[in-house]
């Protein structure tokens, strides 16, 4: 501010917003991120504007998750305050997505699709969540981003289960199995355990109890190895 560097002020405001979000001070975080957005728009900085929109979406997303955890609600059965917060997150992610498409930034589009999928999932809009996660998956594959690909498969599996699509042989078996395969490639035992747990539950829903036991035992062994009570 002293040297009149508006772009620098915008970036500093954005960083303050992100830090306040991590501290759980969501309302203050929104004020700082909004300043980042306002200055970026004033300066015609499209990249800064896109980042600010994404950051505001993240603040509302984090606030919504924080509120829903405190209330121990299932996706879709949320109090009005939580719904409104997550809807705001979704609106900012949509605006970010529109802008990064204009800028041709595929990596940023992937991040926006993933977060839109996650917010729609929490809101109980599972079909919309699946559509967004499919887009996320495609971009993750395009970039060879195995960690993002694994997350997309996991999220697709969860959304299909909530839609009651566990009677279709390919879903959510395929995303769960892909999650398991990728977690092994990434040598991420905690995620491997989660994938085994999901596959066990899916097999139970399909009444394939032998397979369910097999997956739950794998989950148990890894949990014991990790000392995860």
């Amino acid at each position: 501010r002293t040297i009149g560097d508006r772009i620098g002020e915008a970036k500093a405001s954005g960083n303050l917003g992100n830090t306040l979000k991590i501290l759980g001070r969501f309302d203050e975080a929104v004020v700082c991120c909004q300043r980042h957005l306002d200055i970026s728009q004033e300066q015609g900085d499209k990249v800064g504007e896109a980042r600010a929109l994404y950051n505001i979406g993240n603040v509302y997303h984090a606030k919504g998750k924080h509120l829903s955890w405190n209330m121990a609600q299932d996706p879709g059965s949320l109090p009005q305050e939580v719904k409104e917060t997550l809807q705001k997150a979704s609106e900012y992610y949509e605006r970010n997505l529109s802008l990064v498409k204009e800028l041709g930034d595929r990596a940023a589009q992937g991040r926006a699709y993933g977060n839109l999928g996650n917010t729609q999932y929490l809101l109980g809009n599972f079909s919309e969540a699946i559509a967004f996660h499919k887009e996320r998956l495609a971009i993750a594959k395009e970039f060879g981003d195995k960690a993002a690909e694994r997350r997309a498969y996991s999220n697709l599996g969860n959304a299909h289960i909530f839609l009651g699509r566990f009677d279709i042989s390919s879903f959510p078996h395929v995303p769960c199995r892909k999650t398991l395969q990728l977690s092994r490639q990434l040598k991420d035992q905690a995620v491997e355990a989660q994938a085994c747990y999901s596959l066990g539950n899916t097999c139970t829903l399909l009444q394939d109890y032998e397979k369910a036991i097999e997956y739950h035992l794998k989950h148990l062994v890894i949990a014991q190895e990790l000392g995860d009570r």
Side-chain angles (χ1 to χ4, degrees), residues 19 41 101 105 180:
T19 309
Q41 287 173 330
K101 277 182 176 176
D105 188 339
L180 183 58

Side-chain angles (χ1 to χ4, degrees), residues 79-207:
Q80 194 57 31
E81 183 194 0
V82 182
K83 279 185 183 173
E84 285 170 7
T85 303
L86 290 169
Q87 276 157 357
K88 275 185 186 173
S90 208
E91 284 162 24
Y92 279 99
Y93 287 141
E94 289 273 16
R95 286 172 64 188
N96 165 261
L97 180 61
S98 175
L99 190 48
V100 293
K101 277 182 176 176
E102 191 185 310
L103 294 167
D105 188 339
R106 288 291 283 164
Q109 286 170 46
R111 289 191 291 274
Y113 279 126
N115 281 336
L116 277 164
N118 290 335
T119 49
Q120 291 304 312
Y121 173 82
L122 289 170
L123 285 164
N125 303 328
F126 302 116
S127 295
E128 289 89 337
I130 286 166
F132 286 128
H133 285 309
K134 280 182 176 174
E135 295 284 355
R136 177 66 191 111
L137 178 62
I139 294 171
K141 285 180 173 177
E142 199 178 297
F143 280 87
D145 185 341
K146 294 292 184 187
E149 190 181 336
R150 193 273 302 157
R151 287 193 299 273
Y153 274 122
S154 181
N155 290 330
L156 278 166
N158 291 338
H160 274 279
I161 285 171
F162 269 99
L163 275 177
R165 290 191 183 164
F166 42 80
D167 56 328
I168 302 168
S169 60
S170 60
F171 273 102
H173 263 63
V174 169
C176 287
R177 284 197 182 120
K178 289 296 277 184
T179 303
L180 183 58
Q181 181 189 332
L182 287 163
S183 65
R184 284 172 178 163
Q185 280 179 25
L186 294 163
K187 295 184 168 52
D188 188 333
Q189 276 198 300
V191 173
E192 185 180 342
Q194 287 165 13
C196 289
Y197 178 79
S198 293
L199 278 163
N201 287 343
T202 306
C203 290
T204 301
L205 294 166
L206 290 165
Q207 299 184 343

Side-chain angles (χ1 to χ4, degrees), residues 30-45:
V30 168
V31 172
C32 290
C33 291
Q34 185 64 49
R35 191 185 304 126
H36 184 192
L37 178 62
D38 293 343
I39 298 171
S40 298
Q41 287 173 330
E42 168 206 301
Q43 296 292 311
D45 176 6

